């Protein structure tokens, strides 16, 4: 199996304190190295608290917990940098700082009082890099903004307008700086999200499967991973085979089949089967693998709106250039031509979209929702239909055991012990409820083996050599052909009370039923009404529960338009597809492994914070707060972002057209046109950042939902 490509680099330690290390490498001067990516990668390592990168000085400063293991991990991570940290195209951001802006501004202000020869030498010296870039751009990429800037500077210098040339340079640096700050703000968010999320894992010791803290795992131990679980280590499969989703690391969307002898990548997700993996690398040694493509999809990729804005901006640059040449051809006035060339529509159009989008992503994260890129933000604003999987989204997902009904040969304690033993390995709300109830009653759990998860159906395991099946009635009665007639009336009565049922069988015979209830989230009804007020036209509920249980829940939610029950995972995806075929823009919210097909099929897949790893990987939107109102906030933030971009576009057109008219008719000078254009651009970018930096729900924190409506 192909591993992530690496580039070897040589970092040397230039200074070190007990909790801080400073390293230097000429590699950091590589023009295609994404320093944001490098910084995020190092900061994702366990034990690292802060990272500061100084590109021009080719240094990186790392604050950490002071342990030898973390220090070793930092050096190892910097020794081999993933190829994904290197940009394939000319995408590298600016490196303008306040000192650079201040220096250019000071030079522009001092130019009028300097001797003539000094003015000329200084101005040409500062302008030549930009002019060279303009020439290179013209021959490699055509007429772009760099060509306009270089032409304006050249014309100003040829006319002896040194103050104008330097002032334009200072204004351009200010614009670049503002763009940098917006990008850095978004990157800072992502760095905090790249920390490993795994806390507990299952390992096999002495023939038993036990749960330990992830930090306690040692090299050589056997890790057990079931469906929907993230593989926490880089290792080798020693037993079992299954389907593994590696898209987060390799970018390949098709799951691959792994079997004994195959290597695993940390951060990938098991879709089917159970794998026993010998840990070859553990802890912070796998930190770089965890970065996966999330940073790339969130910052490097562009939404459809961003791409359209960029294309429009690129098409307008030659138009401005042609207007400048036309003005000179008719007037033979170089000053007017230069004034026209300073007015460029593309700056505000091209920059306002990423600034607004990234700031909105940051704002949404502060509200408790993670958006995986600009397209997710755009899609969230566009949807008109919301589909909810019931358990864990509209309900609290914290099931409480209400009834334990064994057959006469078993006691409640025995039935609960058997069921909890089989379910202990399964990260599902039903399993957690059963295990919690057993622990609350101080019931010891039996040793189990051969645990097998049947997604959306149940669990199979062996206790003292006896085969145990725990799951839905459909799983027990129809798939496993076990007679459940003896408890038909009991099951019917419990369902009429709105309870979920778990059937337990031993050696092909039903031994009891466990009933539980999942309470509706207190904010659910209010939030769904809020979605209707925020432009959502249709809301549906999907559930695998029995008809009576589903209808009992839907009766409490007036905003719900339709409810479907007794569904299989493929049924949920089919319903989402049917809605899309009718022309609906669909958002689907779920949290389980069985929700993955629907999450992928929807225009926007939304996962709850406690969702399975596979669901979190598949979703475009991941909630970081259990409160459903945070999702409504994210919807309002997305709509606000869309409206802000529309305002920015029309403001750009209006202001620049007016400035262009004044410049072309000679009403304003080159410097005035440049100032009007650049200051209006900065103003529009500031508006985009300011308008999207505050949640629409912030003004009344005690009543966020009412304020949002």
């Amino acid at each position: 199996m192909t591993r992530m490509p690496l580039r070897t680099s040589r970092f040397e330690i230039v200074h070190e304190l007990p909790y801080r290390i400073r390293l230097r490498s000429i590699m950091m001067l590589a023009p295609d190295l994404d320093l944001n990516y490098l910084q995020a990668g190092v900061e994702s390592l366990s034990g690292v608290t802060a990272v500061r990168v100084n590109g021009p000085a080719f240094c990186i400063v790392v604050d950490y917990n002071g342990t030898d293991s973390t220090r070793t991990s930092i050096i190892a991570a910097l020794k081999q940098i993933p190829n994904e940290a290197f940009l394939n195209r000319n995408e590298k951001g600016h490196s303008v700082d306040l000192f650079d802006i201040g220096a250019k501004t000071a030079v522009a202000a001092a130019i009028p009082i300097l001797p003539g020869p000094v003015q000329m030498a200084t101005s040409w010296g500062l302008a030549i890099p930009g002019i060279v870039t303009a020439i290179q751009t013209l021959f490699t990429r055509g007429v772009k903004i760099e060509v306009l800037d270089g032409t304006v500077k050249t014309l100003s210098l040829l006319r002896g307008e040194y103050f104008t040339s330097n002032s334009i340079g200072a204004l351009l640096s200010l614009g670049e700086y503002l763009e940098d700050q917006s990008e850095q703000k978004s990157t800072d968010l992502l760095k905090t999200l790249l920390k490993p999320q795994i806390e507990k894992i299952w390992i096999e010791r002495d023939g038993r499967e036990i749960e330990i803290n992830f930090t306690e795992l040692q090299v050589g131990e056997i890790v057990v991973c079931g469906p929907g679980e993230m593989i926490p280590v880089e290792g080798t499969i020693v037993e079992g085979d299954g389907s593994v989703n590696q898209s987060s690391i390799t970018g390949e969307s098709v799951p691959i089949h792994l079997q004994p002898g195959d290597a695993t990548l940390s951060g990938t997700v098991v879709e089917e089967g159970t794998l026993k993996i010998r840990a070859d690398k553990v802890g912070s040694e796998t930190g770089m693998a965890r970065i996966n493509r999330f940073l790339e999809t969130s910052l490097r990729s562009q939404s459809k709106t961003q791409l359209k804005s960029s294309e429009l901006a690129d098409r307008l640059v030659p138009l401005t250039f042609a207007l400048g040449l036309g003005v000179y051809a008719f007037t033979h006035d170089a000053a007017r031509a230069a004034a026209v060339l300073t007015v460029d529509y593309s700056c505000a159009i091209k920059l306002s979209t990423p600034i607004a989008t990234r700031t909105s992503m940051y704002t949404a994260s502060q509200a408790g929702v993670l958006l995986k890129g600009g397209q997710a933000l755009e899609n969230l604003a566009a949807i008109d239909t919301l589909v909810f999987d019931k358990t864990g989204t509209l309900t609290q997902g914290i099931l409480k055991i209400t009834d334990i009904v064994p057959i006469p040969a078993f006691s409640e304690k025995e039935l609960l012990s058997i069921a909890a033993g089989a379910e202990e390995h399964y990260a599902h709300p039903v399993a957690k409820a059963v295990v919690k109830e057993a622990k609350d009653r101080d019931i010891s759990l039996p040793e189990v083996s051969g645990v097998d998860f049947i997604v959306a159906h149940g669990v199979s395991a062996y206790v003292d050599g006896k085969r145990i099946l725990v799951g839905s009635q459909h799983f027990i009665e129809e798939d496993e052909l076990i007679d459940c007639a003896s408890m038909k009336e009991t099951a019917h009565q419990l369902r009429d009370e709105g309870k979920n049922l778990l059937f337990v069988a031993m050696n092909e015979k039903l031994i009891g039923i466990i009933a539980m209830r999942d309470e509706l989230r207190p904010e659910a009804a209010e939030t769904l009404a809020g979605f209707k007020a925020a432009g959502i036209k249709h809301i549906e509920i999907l559930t695998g529960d029995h008809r009576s249980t589903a209808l009992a829940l839907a009766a409490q939610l007036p905003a719900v338009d339709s409810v479907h029950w007794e569904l299989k995972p493929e049924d949920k995806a089919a319903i989402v597809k049917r809605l899309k075929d009718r022309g609906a823009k669909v958002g689907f919210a779920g949290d389980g492994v069985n929700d993955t097909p629907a999450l992928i099929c929807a225009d926007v897949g939304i996962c709850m914070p406690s969702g399975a790893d596979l669901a979190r990987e598949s979703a475009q939107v991941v909630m970081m707060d259990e409160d459903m109102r945070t999702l409504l906030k994210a919807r309002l933030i997305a709509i606000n972002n869309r409206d802000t971009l529309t305002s920015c576009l029309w403001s750009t057109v209006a202001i620049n057209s007016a400035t262009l008219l004044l410049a072309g008719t000679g009403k304003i000078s080159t410097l005035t046109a440049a100032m009007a254009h650049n200051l209006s651009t900065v103003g529009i970018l500031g508006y985009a950042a300011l308008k999207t930096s505050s949640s629409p729900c912030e003004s009344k924190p005690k009543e966020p939902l009412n304020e949002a409506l």
Side-chain angles (χ1 to χ4, degrees):
M1 184 171 57
T2 303
R3 290 181 176 272
M4 183 184 297
L6 301 169
R7 294 195 192 181
T8 301
S9 59
R10 182 174 297 175
F11 275 82
E12 62 176 7
I13 300 172
V14 293
H15 187 260
E16 187 169 6
L17 294 173
Y19 299 96
R20 175 179 295 182
I21 185 170
R22 181 184 183 93
L23 304 101
R24 177 185 296 145
S25 173
I26 198 69
M27 172 71 78
M28 294 184 66
L29 295 179
D32 58 342
L33 176 60
D34 186 343
L35 297 180
N36 285 333
Y37 200 103
L38 178 67
Q39 183 176 353
V42 176
E43 198 157 45
S44 72
L45 300 177
S46 178
V48 172
T49 56
V51 177
R52 182 171 58 85
V53 171
N54 187 337
F58 48 98
C59 284
I60 182 169
V61 180
V62 184
D63 293 336
Y64 67 107
N65 57 12
T67 64
D68 291 338
S69 60
T70 302
R71 180 181 182 276
T72 301
S73 299
I74 294 167
I75 295 173
L78 290 172
K79 184 176 181 181
Q80 292 187 313
I81 302 174
N83 275 354
E84 289 184 348
F86 295 84
L87 299 168
N88 294 324
R89 300 179 301 276
N90 184 26
E91 299 173 351
K92 194 165 185 179
H94 307 294
S95 57
V96 181
D97 55 26
L98 287 175
F99 177 79
D100 185 37
I101 297 170
K104 289 182 177 179
T105 302
V107 169
I111 281 293
I113 62 175
L114 295 176
V118 177
Q119 289 186 29
M120 182 176 66
T122 302
S123 300
W124 276 100
L126 291 175
I128 282 176
I131 295 172
V132 171
T133 300
I135 295 173
Q136 291 175 339
T137 301
L138 179 63
F139 285 102
T140 58
R141 297 164 53 214
V143 181
K144 302 295 181 183
I145 182 63
E146 293 86 355
V147 176
L148 294 185
D149 294 339
T151 303
V152 172
K153 288 182 180 179
T154 302
L155 288 176
S156 298
L157 291 171
L158 290 175
R159 289 174 54 82
E161 297 174 350
Y162 303 124
F163 178 71
T164 298
S165 174
N166 286 284
S167 297
I168 291 172
L171 287 170
L172 291 174
S173 295
L174 177 60
E176 292 177 358
Y177 175 77
L178 292 174
E179 182 187 359
D180 283 347
Q181 291 305 299
S182 175
E183 180 174 350
Q184 188 61 49
K185 190 176 184 182
S186 301
T187 306
D188 288 342
L189 159 68
L190 296 180
K191 289 186 298 182
T192 66
L193 300 172
L194 289 172
K195 292 288 185 179
Q197 301 296 315
I198 299 174
E199 296 180 1
K200 300 280 188 177
I201 60 172
W202 285 90
I203 67 169
E204 185 177 77
R205 284 181 183 170
D206 302 324
R208 296 178 57 224
E209 294 179 9
I210 62 173
E211 189 177 37
I212 65 169
N213 293 325
F214 174 67
T215 54
E216 298 174 3
L217 179 66
Q218 301 295 318
V219 172
E221 292 194 295
I222 304 301
V223 179
V224 183
C225 295
E229 295 182 339
M230 181 179 289
I231 296 176
V233 297
E234 292 188 10
T236 305
I237 298 174
V238 296
E239 184 179 330
D241 65 286
S243 177
V244 176
N245 188 321
Q246 297 190 133
S247 61
S248 62
I249 301 297
T250 65
E252 178 57 53
S253 60
V254 178
I256 66 169
H257 182 264
L258 297 182
Q259 55 191 2
D262 288 338
T264 63
L265 291 176
S266 168
T268 56
V269 180
V270 180
E271 286 197 358
E272 294 180 0
T274 300
L275 304 177
K276 293 185 178 180
I277 304 165
R278 183 185 66 244
D280 298 330
K281 291 184 178 181
V282 302
S284 56
E285 292 181 34
T286 64
M288 291 299 289
R290 295 181 195 281
I291 297 175
N292 58 63
R293 291 185 180 269
F294 183 71
L295 181 64
E296 184 169 339
T297 56
S298 295
L299 277 184
R300 294 182 185 170
S301 65
Q302 293 183 317
S303 67
K304 292 178 181 178
T305 297
Q306 286 177 275
L307 289 172
K308 288 180 180 178
S309 297
S310 182
E311 290 172 1
L312 175 61
D314 287 339
R315 287 199 299 267
L316 288 174
V317 173
L319 177 61
T320 302
F321 194 75
L323 286 174
L325 294 179
V327 167
Y328 182 75
F330 279 102
T331 65
H332 299 287
D333 188 340
R336 285 196 193 186
V340 169
L341 293 176
T342 63
V343 184
D344 172 41
Y345 291 87
S346 70
C347 288
I349 293 176
K350 184 177 285 189
L351 298 180
S352 62
T353 302
I355 285 178
T357 299
R358 292 172 182 175
T359 306
S360 292
M361 287 171 57
Y362 185 86
T363 304
S365 74
Q366 297 296 93
V369 178
L370 170 63
L371 299 165
K372 295 183 179 179
Q375 192 60 54
L377 181 71
E378 185 176 319
N379 290 349
L380 188 59
I383 59 173
D384 54 25
T385 300
L386 266 178
V387 180
F388 290 91
D389 176 67
K390 187 208 71 165
T391 304
T393 53
L394 295 174
T395 61
Q396 297 184 41
I398 306 175
L399 295 165
K400 295 184 179 180
I401 304 299
T402 57
D403 304 87
I404 301 175
V405 187
I407 63 173
F410 287 82
S411 66
E412 287 189 11
K413 181 177 179 180
E414 290 173 324
L415 178 63
L416 184 59
S417 176
I418 292 170
E423 294 272 33
E424 187 180 13
H425 296 64
Y426 198 19
H428 186 276
V430 171
K432 291 178 181 178
V434 174
V435 173
K436 183 178 185 303
E437 184 68 18
K439 291 181 178 180
D440 290 345
R441 296 191 183 194
D442 292 326
I443 296 175
S444 59
L445 305 186
E447 292 186 12
V448 298
S449 60
V451 180
D452 188 21
F453 311 109
I454 298 89
V455 176
H457 287 79
V459 177
S460 170
Y462 286 89
V463 175
D464 296 329
K466 300 175 182 178
R467 187 173 184 235
I468 306 298
L469 297 172
V470 183
S472 65
Q473 182 174 356
H474 172 84
F475 171 56
I476 300 296
E477 189 172 40
E478 298 182 28
D479 293 351
E480 297 294 333
L481 303 178
I482 295 174
D483 185 12
C484 297
S486 62
M487 289 196 166
K488 184 176 180 179
E489 291 185 9
T490 302
H492 182 73
Q493 179 183 348
L494 291 170
R495 285 199 181 101
D496 283 345
E497 297 172 2
K499 297 173 181 176
N500 300 288
L501 304 184
L502 196 64
F503 286 69
V504 185
M506 174 184 285
N507 285 345
E508 315 305 321
K509 291 185 178 180
L510 184 69
I511 63 172
I513 294 176
I514 298 175
M516 58 196 74
R517 179 182 282 119
D518 190 3
E519 298 296 332
L520 191 68
R521 292 182 184 273
E523 75 278 6
E526 189 182 6
T527 304
L528 294 188
F531 276 116
K532 284 294 184 71
I536 298 297
K537 299 176 182 178
H538 189 77
I539 296 177
E540 294 196 5
I541 298 176
L542 310 184
T543 179
D545 290 344
H546 192 270
R547 176 179 180 274
S548 56
T549 305
L551 291 176
L553 175 82
Q556 304 175 59
L557 301 169
V560 172
D561 300 293
S562 180
V563 60
H564 305 265
W565 51 82
E566 298 181 18
L567 299 175
K568 299 177 183 178
E570 57 269 25
D571 296 331
K572 297 177 183 180
I575 290 172
V576 171
K577 186 177 185 303
R578 187 161 62 246
L579 288 168
K580 290 179 66 178
D581 290 342
R582 294 174 185 171
K585 297 291 185 181
V586 183
F588 177 83
D591 70 340
V593 176
N594 58 332
D595 296 325
T596 302
L599 287 168
I600 295 173
C601 181
D603 292 293
V604 179
I606 304 164
C607 184
M608 301 297 287
S610 57
D613 291 323
L614 187 56
R616 292 170 65 89
E617 175 64 30
S618 304
Q620 284 184 299
V621 177
V622 179
M623 295 174 62
M624 297 183 285
D625 192 316
E626 291 286 350
D627 193 329
M628 280 187 64
R629 287 173 289 194
T630 60
L631 183 58
L632 176 56
K633 291 180 183 179
R635 160 76 172 182
L636 295 171
I637 289 168
I639 293 174
N640 179 60
N641 178 72
R642 182 184 62 192
D643 294 344
T644 300
L645 291 179
T646 301
S647 298
C648 289
L649 174 61
W650 290 112
S651 297
T652 299
V653 171
I655 295 173
N656 283 281
S657 295
T659 306
L660 196 62
L661 179 62
L662 293 173
T665 56
K667 301 297 183 182
I668 55 177
S669 67
T670 303
L671 179 57
T672 303
M675 291 184 66
H677 164 65
N678 283 281
L679 292 178
S680 67
T681 298
V682 170
I684 289 171
L685 299 186
Y687 169 79
L690 182 63
K691 191 72 166 55
T692 54
S693 64
S694 60
S695 169
C697 312
E698 284 184 345
S699 57
K700 288 187 179 180
K702 293 183 180 180
E703 298 178 344
L705 183 57
N706 293 335
E707 177 61 22
L709 301 180

